Amino acid sequence: MEPMLKVAADNAGVKFEHATGYKQAENMRTYDSRTYEGAYMAGIIAGTMSKSGMLGVVASLPIPEVVRNINSFTLGAQSVNPKVTIKVVWVNEWFNPAKEAEAATALIHGGADVLLQNTDSSAVVQTAEKMGKRAFGWDSDMVSYGSKAHLGSVVINWDPYYVKAVGEALEGKWSGGTAAWWGVKEDAIDLVSIAVDVPDETKKRVNEVKAGLKNGSFAIWTGPITDNTGKTLLAKDVVADDKFLRSMMAYVKGVEGKVPGSH
């Protein structure tokens, strides 16, 4: 993000697009995907499929994006099993297969039988496969890395945004200084390759949520929601706005521990 801002300032005639950042300029804009929508749908399946009632998350960096995914996964799981608990292990990197495998192993030894990740390698799915547990792929379809373990993959589809952005540039309609945040509604997020042993009733629930996110009739972040200390995050019937979602640094009820670096 910072290097791009610097280069954008020196190249006024060039249009810059930055994925997942939050700073813009006259000739630079940002775009992101609502991965938390995919995490919520994965949660519905995890809450149904877990036998121990404990889920695990291999987390990358303690920033709002990742905290939002952990929390949304938790809310999805709680929608089918209110008693579910979630353990988190932070690896403090986006990509480190050895650390990711270590974290997944620790979570499984700690009682978690379904794992989600917010890291980029296939190590979590592979570890779950090796240890006889279940897991979700992240960012791409990871079914081929552990067909017995794999429950589904949360995938990002950047195509719709790229088509729009390139189209605007070609038509002279491109403008900088803006931020796009696309999800299920724009076909930018999906949950794919759902395992055959997931009950039809659960698949139906996932499809209902997907349809609700697409037509705007369902909002994941609707109160009452409390954090894991009992403090109200969202009052009854209040729907979170993007500002709230972008600044999330507390775990919801059901997640153990506290976010590293939060007060």
PDB file of all heavy atoms in Angstrom, residues 98-128:
ATOM      1  N   ALA A  98       4.869 -24.364   7.608  1.00  0.00           N
ATOM      2  CA  ALA A  98       5.321 -25.080   8.811  1.00  0.00           C
ATOM      3  C   ALA A  98       4.602 -24.571  10.060  1.00  0.00           C
ATOM      4  O   ALA A  98       4.108 -25.361  10.877  1.00  0.00           O
ATOM      5  CB  ALA A  98       6.833 -24.932   8.967  1.00  0.00           C
ATOM      6  N   LYS A  99       4.523 -23.251  10.183  1.00  0.00           N
ATOM      7  CA  LYS A  99       3.832 -22.655  11.334  1.00  0.00           C
ATOM      8  C   LYS A  99       2.333 -22.957  11.307  1.00  0.00           C
ATOM      9  O   LYS A  99       1.712 -23.174  12.340  1.00  0.00           O
ATOM     10  CB  LYS A  99       4.032 -21.131  11.331  1.00  0.00           C
ATOM     11  CG  LYS A  99       5.195 -20.644  12.156  1.00  0.00           C
ATOM     12  CD  LYS A  99       5.038 -19.140  12.333  1.00  0.00           C
ATOM     13  CE  LYS A  99       6.259 -18.495  12.946  1.00  0.00           C
ATOM     14  NZ  LYS A  99       6.095 -17.025  12.978  1.00  0.00           N
ATOM     15  N   GLU A 100       1.754 -22.927  10.111  1.00  0.00           N
ATOM     16  CA  GLU A 100       0.316 -23.204   9.967  1.00  0.00           C
ATOM     17  C   GLU A 100       0.009 -24.649  10.389  1.00  0.00           C
ATOM     18  O   GLU A 100      -0.974 -24.911  11.090  1.00  0.00           O
ATOM     19  CB  GLU A 100      -0.128 -22.968   8.521  1.00  0.00           C
ATOM     20  CG  GLU A 100      -0.097 -21.500   8.095  1.00  0.00           C
ATOM     21  CD  GLU A 100      -0.289 -21.327   6.597  1.00  0.00           C
ATOM     22  OE1 GLU A 100      -1.303 -21.828   6.071  1.00  0.00           O
ATOM     23  OE2 GLU A 100       0.565 -20.694   5.934  1.00  0.00           O
ATOM     24  N   ALA A 101       0.880 -25.577   9.992  1.00  0.00           N
ATOM     25  CA  ALA A 101       0.696 -26.989  10.353  1.00  0.00           C
ATOM     26  C   ALA A 101       0.829 -27.165  11.866  1.00  0.00           C
ATOM     27  O   ALA A 101       0.058 -27.906  12.492  1.00  0.00           O
ATOM     28  CB  ALA A 101       1.726 -27.852   9.628  1.00  0.00           C
ATOM     29  N   GLU A 102       1.792 -26.462  12.447  1.00  0.00           N
ATOM     30  CA  GLU A 102       2.016 -26.499  13.899  1.00  0.00           C
ATOM     31  C   GLU A 102       0.783 -25.982  14.651  1.00  0.00           C
ATOM     32  O   GLU A 102       0.330 -26.569  15.637  1.00  0.00           O
ATOM     33  CB  GLU A 102       3.209 -25.599  14.202  1.00  0.00           C
ATOM     34  CG  GLU A 102       4.058 -26.013  15.376  1.00  0.00           C
ATOM     35  CD  GLU A 102       5.281 -25.101  15.459  1.00  0.00           C
ATOM     36  OE1 GLU A 102       6.257 -25.338  14.723  1.00  0.00           O
ATOM     37  OE2 GLU A 102       5.218 -24.141  16.235  1.00  0.00           O
ATOM     38  N   ALA A 103       0.246 -24.865  14.168  1.00  0.00           N
ATOM     39  CA  ALA A 103      -0.939 -24.257  14.801  1.00  0.00           C
ATOM     40  C   ALA A 103      -2.144 -25.188  14.694  1.00  0.00           C
ATOM     41  O   ALA A 103      -2.894 -25.375  15.662  1.00  0.00           O
ATOM     42  CB  ALA A 103      -1.246 -22.908  14.139  1.00  0.00           C
ATOM     43  N   ALA A 104      -2.324 -25.780  13.511  1.00  0.00           N
ATOM     44  CA  ALA A 104      -3.446 -26.713  13.300  1.00  0.00           C
ATOM     45  C   ALA A 104      -3.325 -27.911  14.237  1.00  0.00           C
ATOM     46  O   ALA A 104      -4.307 -28.355  14.843  1.00  0.00           O
ATOM     47  CB  ALA A 104      -3.479 -27.177  11.842  1.00  0.00           C
ATOM     48  N   THR A 105      -2.115 -28.426  14.386  1.00  0.00           N
ATOM     49  CA  THR A 105      -1.862 -29.571  15.275  1.00  0.00           C
ATOM     50  C   THR A 105      -2.196 -29.207  16.723  1.00  0.00           C
ATOM     51  O   THR A 105      -2.855 -29.979  17.443  1.00  0.00           O
ATOM     52  CB  THR A 105      -0.391 -30.024  15.162  1.00  0.00           C
ATOM     53  OG1 THR A 105      -0.110 -30.340  13.794  1.00  0.00           O
ATOM     54  CG2 THR A 105      -0.110 -31.235  16.023  1.00  0.00           C
ATOM     55  N   ALA A 106      -1.763 -28.016  17.151  1.00  0.00           N
ATOM     56  CA  ALA A 106      -2.032 -27.558  18.525  1.00  0.00           C
ATOM     57  C   ALA A 106      -3.533 -27.434  18.772  1.00  0.00           C
ATOM     58  O   ALA A 106      -4.031 -27.823  19.834  1.00  0.00           O
ATOM     59  CB  ALA A 106      -1.344 -26.213  18.769  1.00  0.00           C
ATOM     60  N   LEU A 107      -4.258 -26.905  17.794  1.00  0.00           N
ATOM     61  CA  LEU A 107      -5.717 -26.753  17.933  1.00  0.00           C
ATOM     62  C   LEU A 107      -6.405 -28.116  18.042  1.00  0.00           C
ATOM     63  O   LEU A 107      -7.305 -28.305  18.859  1.00  0.00           O
ATOM     64  CB  LEU A 107      -6.281 -25.958  16.750  1.00  0.00           C
ATOM     65  CG  LEU A 107      -5.977 -24.455  16.759  1.00  0.00           C
ATOM     66  CD1 LEU A 107      -6.223 -23.838  15.385  1.00  0.00           C
ATOM     67  CD2 LEU A 107      -6.812 -23.734  17.812  1.00  0.00           C
ATOM     68  N   ILE A 108      -5.961 -29.063  17.226  1.00  0.00           N
ATOM     69  CA  ILE A 108      -6.554 -30.401  17.258  1.00  0.00           C
ATOM     70  C   ILE A 108      -6.255 -31.080  18.599  1.00  0.00           C
ATOM     71  O   ILE A 108      -7.136 -31.667  19.221  1.00  0.00           O
ATOM     72  CB  ILE A 108      -6.072 -31.249  16.046  1.00  0.00           C
ATOM     73  CG1 ILE A 108      -6.697 -30.689  14.755  1.00  0.00           C
ATOM     74  CG2 ILE A 108      -6.436 -32.724  16.217  1.00  0.00           C
ATOM     75  CD1 ILE A 108      -6.095 -31.218  13.460  1.00  0.00           C
ATOM     76  N   HIS A 109      -5.007 -30.955  19.061  1.00  0.00           N
ATOM     77  CA  HIS A 109      -4.664 -31.516  20.378  1.00  0.00           C
ATOM     78  C   HIS A 109      -5.466 -30.849  21.493  1.00  0.00           C
ATOM     79  O   HIS A 109      -5.729 -31.458  22.531  1.00  0.00           O
ATOM     80  CB  HIS A 109      -3.162 -31.362  20.649  1.00  0.00           C
ATOM     81  CG  HIS A 109      -2.317 -32.343  19.905  1.00  0.00           C
ATOM     82  ND1 HIS A 109      -2.700 -33.649  19.673  1.00  0.00           N
ATOM     83  CD2 HIS A 109      -1.094 -32.213  19.305  1.00  0.00           C
ATOM     84  CE1 HIS A 109      -1.761 -34.282  18.978  1.00  0.00           C
ATOM     85  NE2 HIS A 109      -0.775 -33.422  18.738  1.00  0.00           N
ATOM     86  N   GLY A 110      -5.869 -29.597  21.263  1.00  0.00           N
ATOM     87  CA  GLY A 110      -6.648 -28.847  22.261  1.00  0.00           C
ATOM     88  C   GLY A 110      -8.142 -29.157  22.226  1.00  0.00           C
ATOM     89  O   GLY A 110      -8.915 -28.582  22.995  1.00  0.00           O
ATOM     90  N   GLY A 111      -8.550 -30.045  21.306  1.00  0.00           N
ATOM     91  CA  GLY A 111      -9.954 -30.476  21.274  1.00  0.00           C
ATOM     92  C   GLY A 111     -10.770 -30.029  20.084  1.00  0.00           C
ATOM     93  O   GLY A 111     -11.928 -30.430  19.920  1.00  0.00           O
ATOM     94  N   ALA A 112     -10.195 -29.188  19.221  1.00  0.00           N
ATOM     95  CA  ALA A 112     -10.941 -28.717  18.042  1.00  0.00           C
ATOM     96  C   ALA A 112     -11.003 -29.827  16.995  1.00  0.00           C
ATOM     97  O   ALA A 112      -9.998 -30.488  16.729  1.00  0.00           O
ATOM     98  CB  ALA A 112     -10.270 -27.479  17.448  1.00  0.00           C
ATOM     99  N   ASP A 113     -12.193 -30.025  16.429  1.00  0.00           N
ATOM    100  CA  ASP A 113     -12.306 -31.073  15.401  1.00  0.00           C
ATOM    101  C   ASP A 113     -12.671 -30.535  14.018  1.00  0.00           C
ATOM    102  O   ASP A 113     -12.739 -31.284  13.048  1.00  0.00           O
ATOM    103  CB  ASP A 113     -13.275 -32.185  15.837  1.00  0.00           C
ATOM    104  CG  ASP A 113     -14.702 -31.691  16.072  1.00  0.00           C
ATOM    105  OD1 ASP A 113     -14.925 -30.464  16.039  1.00  0.00           O
ATOM    106  OD2 ASP A 113     -15.593 -32.537  16.296  1.00  0.00           O
ATOM    107  N   VAL A 114     -12.903 -29.213  13.928  1.00  0.00           N
ATOM    108  CA  VAL A 114     -13.117 -28.556  12.629  1.00  0.00           C
ATOM    109  C   VAL A 114     -12.283 -27.276  12.621  1.00  0.00           C
ATOM    110  O   VAL A 114     -12.363 -26.470  13.554  1.00  0.00           O
ATOM    111  CB  VAL A 114     -14.601 -28.204  12.390  1.00  0.00           C
ATOM    112  CG1 VAL A 114     -14.764 -27.509  11.038  1.00  0.00           C
ATOM    113  CG2 VAL A 114     -15.482 -29.459  12.430  1.00  0.00           C
ATOM    114  N   LEU A 115     -11.490 -27.081  11.565  1.00  0.00           N
ATOM    115  CA  LEU A 115     -10.589 -25.931  11.498  1.00  0.00           C
ATOM    116  C   LEU A 115     -10.901 -25.005  10.322  1.00  0.00           C
ATOM    117  O   LEU A 115     -11.220 -25.456   9.227  1.00  0.00           O
ATOM    118  CB  LEU A 115      -9.127 -26.392  11.343  1.00  0.00           C
ATOM    119  CG  LEU A 115      -8.562 -27.364  12.379  1.00  0.00           C
ATOM    120  CD1 LEU A 115      -7.104 -27.682  12.048  1.00  0.00           C
ATOM    121  CD2 LEU A 115      -8.675 -26.804  13.790  1.00  0.00           C
ATOM    122  N   LEU A 116     -10.801 -23.712  10.602  1.00  0.00           N
ATOM    123  CA  LEU A 116     -10.823 -22.689   9.547  1.00  0.00           C
ATOM    124  C   LEU A 116      -9.467 -22.011   9.590  1.00  0.00           C
ATOM    125  O   LEU A 116      -8.797 -22.013  10.626  1.00  0.00           O
ATOM    126  CB  LEU A 116     -11.926 -21.653   9.821  1.00  0.00           C
ATOM    127  CG  LEU A 116     -12.085 -20.545   8.764  1.00  0.00           C
ATOM    128  CD1 LEU A 116     -12.846 -21.081   7.546  1.00  0.00           C
ATOM    129  CD2 LEU A 116     -12.829 -19.327   9.324  1.00  0.00           C
ATOM    130  N   GLN A 117      -9.064 -21.411   8.487  1.00  0.00           N
ATOM    131  CA  GLN A 117      -7.799 -20.691   8.465  1.00  0.00           C
ATOM    132  C   GLN A 117      -7.988 -19.327   7.836  1.00  0.00           C
ATOM    133  O   GLN A 117      -8.915 -19.113   7.057  1.00  0.00           O
ATOM    134  CB  GLN A 117      -6.761 -21.479   7.674  1.00  0.00           C
ATOM    135  CG  GLN A 117      -7.139 -21.615   6.190  1.00  0.00           C
ATOM    136  CD  GLN A 117      -6.204 -22.503   5.424  1.00  0.00           C
ATOM    137  OE1 GLN A 117      -6.202 -23.711   5.602  1.00  0.00           O
ATOM    138  NE2 GLN A 117      -5.393 -21.908   4.551  1.00  0.00           N
ATOM    139  N   ASN A 118      -7.104 -18.393   8.216  1.00  0.00           N
ATOM    140  CA  ASN A 118      -7.050 -17.109   7.516  1.00  0.00           C
ATOM    141  C   ASN A 118      -5.620 -16.915   7.016  1.00  0.00           C
ATOM    142  O   ASN A 118      -5.063 -15.841   7.025  1.00  0.00           O
ATOM    143  CB  ASN A 118      -7.459 -15.958   8.435  1.00  0.00           C
ATOM    144  CG  ASN A 118      -8.021 -14.762   7.682  1.00  0.00           C
ATOM    145  OD1 ASN A 118      -8.825 -14.013   8.185  1.00  0.00           O
ATOM    146  ND2 ASN A 118      -7.587 -14.570   6.437  1.00  0.00           N
ATOM    147  N   THR A 119      -5.007 -18.055   6.646  1.00  0.00           N
ATOM    148  CA  THR A 119      -3.654 -18.066   6.094  1.00  0.00           C
ATOM    149  C   THR A 119      -3.733 -18.635   4.686  1.00  0.00           C
ATOM    150  O   THR A 119      -4.781 -19.121   4.272  1.00  0.00           O
ATOM    151  CB  THR A 119      -2.733 -18.932   6.984  1.00  0.00           C
ATOM    152  OG1 THR A 119      -3.390 -20.177   7.245  1.00  0.00           O
ATOM    153  CG2 THR A 119      -2.408 -18.234   8.294  1.00  0.00           C
ATOM    154  N   ASP A 120      -2.626 -18.607   3.972  1.00  0.00           N
ATOM    155  CA  ASP A 120      -2.709 -18.827   2.532  1.00  0.00           C
ATOM    156  C   ASP A 120      -2.231 -20.180   2.001  1.00  0.00           C
ATOM    157  O   ASP A 120      -2.319 -20.434   0.809  1.00  0.00           O
ATOM    158  CB  ASP A 120      -1.934 -17.720   1.806  1.00  0.00           C
ATOM    159  CG  ASP A 120      -2.578 -16.353   2.012  1.00  0.00           C
ATOM    160  OD1 ASP A 120      -3.788 -16.314   2.297  1.00  0.00           O
ATOM    161  OD2 ASP A 120      -1.886 -15.334   1.901  1.00  0.00           O
ATOM    162  N   SER A 121      -1.681 -21.047   2.866  1.00  0.00           N
ATOM    163  CA  SER A 121      -1.221 -22.329   2.328  1.00  0.00           C
ATOM    164  C   SER A 121      -2.257 -23.428   2.567  1.00  0.00           C
ATOM    165  O   SER A 121      -3.250 -23.215   3.261  1.00  0.00           O
ATOM    166  CB  SER A 121       0.125 -22.723   2.966  1.00  0.00           C
ATOM    167  OG  SER A 121      -0.078 -23.460   4.164  1.00  0.00           O
ATOM    168  N   SER A 122      -1.957 -24.594   2.040  1.00  0.00           N
ATOM    169  CA  SER A 122      -2.870 -25.736   2.198  1.00  0.00           C
ATOM    170  C   SER A 122      -2.534 -26.565   3.434  1.00  0.00           C
ATOM    171  O   SER A 122      -3.115 -27.624   3.662  1.00  0.00           O
ATOM    172  CB  SER A 122      -2.795 -26.617   0.951  1.00  0.00           C
ATOM    173  OG  SER A 122      -1.435 -26.994   0.729  1.00  0.00           O
ATOM    174  N   ALA A 123      -1.607 -26.088   4.259  1.00  0.00           N
ATOM    175  CA  ALA A 123      -1.096 -26.869   5.396  1.00  0.00           C
ATOM    176  C   ALA A 123      -2.178 -27.247   6.405  1.00  0.00           C
ATOM    177  O   ALA A 123      -2.133 -28.339   6.979  1.00  0.00           O
ATOM    178  CB  ALA A 123       0.024 -26.106   6.098  1.00  0.00           C
ATOM    179  N   VAL A 124      -3.151 -26.364   6.614  1.00  0.00           N
ATOM    180  CA  VAL A 124      -4.196 -26.641   7.617  1.00  0.00           C
ATOM    181  C   VAL A 124      -5.069 -27.807   7.166  1.00  0.00           C
ATOM    182  O   VAL A 124      -5.345 -28.726   7.942  1.00  0.00           O
ATOM    183  CB  VAL A 124      -5.046 -25.372   7.903  1.00  0.00           C
ATOM    184  CG1 VAL A 124      -6.191 -25.687   8.849  1.00  0.00           C
ATOM    185  CG2 VAL A 124      -4.169 -24.261   8.496  1.00  0.00           C
ATOM    186  N   VAL A 125      -5.475 -27.783   5.906  1.00  0.00           N
ATOM    187  CA  VAL A 125      -6.288 -28.884   5.357  1.00  0.00           C
ATOM    188  C   VAL A 125      -5.490 -30.190   5.382  1.00  0.00           C
ATOM    189  O   VAL A 125      -6.011 -31.250   5.753  1.00  0.00           O
ATOM    190  CB  VAL A 125      -6.773 -28.552   3.923  1.00  0.00           C
ATOM    191  CG1 VAL A 125      -7.456 -29.748   3.279  1.00  0.00           C
ATOM    192  CG2 VAL A 125      -7.731 -27.364   3.942  1.00  0.00           C
ATOM    193  N   GLN A 126      -4.215 -30.112   5.014  1.00  0.00           N
ATOM    194  CA  GLN A 126      -3.369 -31.315   4.984  1.00  0.00           C
ATOM    195  C   GLN A 126      -3.168 -31.897   6.385  1.00  0.00           C
ATOM    196  O   GLN A 126      -3.178 -33.111   6.575  1.00  0.00           O
ATOM    197  CB  GLN A 126      -2.017 -30.981   4.338  1.00  0.00           C
ATOM    198  CG  GLN A 126      -2.136 -30.789   2.828  1.00  0.00           C
ATOM    199  CD  GLN A 126      -0.881 -30.181   2.218  1.00  0.00           C
ATOM    200  OE1 GLN A 126      -0.381 -29.165   2.691  1.00  0.00           O
ATOM    201  NE2 GLN A 126      -0.373 -30.793   1.165  1.00  0.00           N
ATOM    202  N   THR A 127      -3.006 -31.005   7.376  1.00  0.00           N
ATOM    203  CA  THR A 127      -2.830 -31.460   8.767  1.00  0.00           C
ATOM    204  C   THR A 127      -4.105 -32.118   9.279  1.00  0.00           C
ATOM    205  O   THR A 127      -4.054 -33.174   9.930  1.00  0.00           O
ATOM    206  CB  THR A 127      -2.437 -30.266   9.678  1.00  0.00           C
ATOM    207  OG1 THR A 127      -1.255 -29.663   9.154  1.00  0.00           O
ATOM    208  CG2 THR A 127      -2.181 -30.718  11.107  1.00  0.00           C
ATOM    209  N   ALA A 128      -5.247 -31.513   8.972  1.00  0.00           N
ATOM    210  CA  ALA A 128      -6.536 -32.089   9.382  1.00  0.00           C
ATOM    211  C   ALA A 128      -6.731 -33.466   8.748  1.00  0.00           C
ATOM    212  O   ALA A 128      -7.201 -34.403   9.401  1.00  0.00           O
ATOM    213  CB  ALA A 128      -7.680 -31.157   8.997  1.00  0.00           C
TER     214      ALA A 128
END
